[in-house]
Amino acid sequence: MQISAINKFSLIEFPWEISTIVFTPGCNFRCDYCHNSEFVLPEKLKNVLKNLIMEKAFFNFLEKRKWNLTWVSICGWEPTMQPDLKDFCRKIKSLWYKVKLDTNWRDPLIIKELLDEDLLDYVAMDIKYEVWNFSYISWTKLEENIYIETINVLLNSNIDYEFRTTVIKWIHDEKIIENISKYISFSKNYYLQNYKSGNTLNPNFNWESFSQNELEKFKEIANKYIKNVWIRN
Ligand code: SF4
């Protein structure tokens, strides 16, 4: 498993329980608004790959902290690109940790296998844009049906999960949020995450965030289809 960074103690993922966050390098998308191009673009990724954290050191840490920590959160850039993700989850589970996976849903098969083996306790999945139009935001050629299959795997699962959309001015509007929400209606949780400008993959992508009122309006629209809608600022 390629581990590019670890946040040892975090309350960001679950405010009521402590998590360790593991970051894996590489992503199949090229979103303009990505804040971590060094972990995404192959020409920059070379430097990251020279300084990976040893898996053994990570598991030593987990062994020692068994009584303080509850969750291991595996985040990307896109963790399903790691060929040994399943083994990695098995090892974490063998230490009695709960596992959360963040994904941009590039691989429904691996998600299904992980769920079938009870290796996941929570999944957070990006829904970046309207279903059938994801390519518009990912800047990569996509087989949309694969992404839709992953949504369905999760909708039919028994675990807790969230869908989430980073909402961006000039890209998302009320109609887009309504179309996304309709598609994932009756899902367990939907988070609207406000875009923040910064060191983005596309340096010209410097747009302002939505106001709280605009976010509340999106929430109201999404709430017509999904009971639990949350705003993340
Ligand atoms: S999916 Fe996430 S990590 Fe990948 S390019 Fe888009 S914002 Fe960056």
Side-chain angles (χ1 to χ4, degrees), residues 53-195:
I53 293 167
M54 299 288 288
E55 197 181 305
K56 193 171 180 325
F58 170 67
F59 279 106
N60 283 345
F61 165 76
L62 283 191
E63 280 275 9
K64 281 190 203 138
R65 295 295 175 162
K66 235 190 257 190
W67 313 115
N68 313 97
L69 291 165
T70 309
W71 288 86
V72 175
S73 179
I74 309 171
C75 302
W77 302 273
E78 179 46 42
T80 64
M81 291 178 75
Q82 300 291 322
D84 53 352
L85 177 63
K86 215 195 296 182
D87 276 346
F88 188 67
C89 291
R90 278 195 199 110
K91 283 187 213 163
I92 296 169
K93 288 302 254 182
S94 73
L95 296 172
W96 299 98
Y97 283 94
K98 292 189 201 172
V99 176
K100 170 178 180 270
L101 179 74
D102 284 18
T103 179
N104 69 18
W105 35 308
R106 66 171 274 281
D107 189 342
L109 200 63
I110 182 74
I111 306 277
K112 186 157 185 349
E113 285 173 6
L114 290 166
L115 287 170
D116 286 348
E117 235 188 274
D118 286 333
L119 295 175
L120 298 178
D121 299 282
Y122 193 96
V123 176
M125 189 176 282
D126 291 345
I127 298 204
K128 293 177 181 296
Y129 197 62
E130 281 176 326
V131 174
W132 297 117
N133 283 318
F134 300 131
S135 313
Y136 177 70
I137 204 162
S138 67
W139 283 106
T140 39
K141 195 169 157 26
L142 301 176
E143 287 183 47
E144 304 273 356
N145 57 323
I146 292 179
Y147 288 80
I148 287 156
E149 203 181 321
T150 316
I151 295 183
N152 291 331
V153 166
L154 216 47
L155 284 173
N156 293 321
S157 75
N158 295 322
I159 63 160
D160 278 338
Y161 63 82
E162 69 183 52
F163 294 115
R164 59 194 185 186
T165 302
T166 299
V167 284
I168 304 163
K169 277 205 173 165
W170 318 120
I171 291 180
H172 299 96
D173 58 22
E174 293 179 10
K175 182 174 152 289
I176 304 285
I177 297 301
E178 178 136 26
N179 287 343
I180 293 173
S181 306
K182 260 187 214 166
Y183 197 88
I184 56 166
S185 54
F186 306 112
S187 57
K188 286 188 180 168
N189 295 291
Y190 182 41
Y191 282 82
L192 297 160
Q193 305 183 149
N194 208 1
Y195 162 77

Side-chain angles (χ1 to χ4, degrees), residues 214-230:
E214 289 167 317
L215 293 172
E216 293 291 347
K217 182 66 193 165
F218 287 160
K219 180 175 183 294
E220 195 184 308
I221 291 167
N223 265 143
K224 288 196 279 177
Y225 307 93
I226 306 159
K227 191 171 160 216
N228 296 320
V229 182
W230 316 88

Side-chain angles (χ1 to χ4, degrees), residues 32-33 170 195 197-208:
D32 276 327
Y33 61 87
W170 318 120
Y195 162 77
S197 61
N199 180 20
T200 45
L201 190 144
N202 175 350
N204 300 321
F205 201 89
N206 215 0
W207 298 336
E208 62 189 52

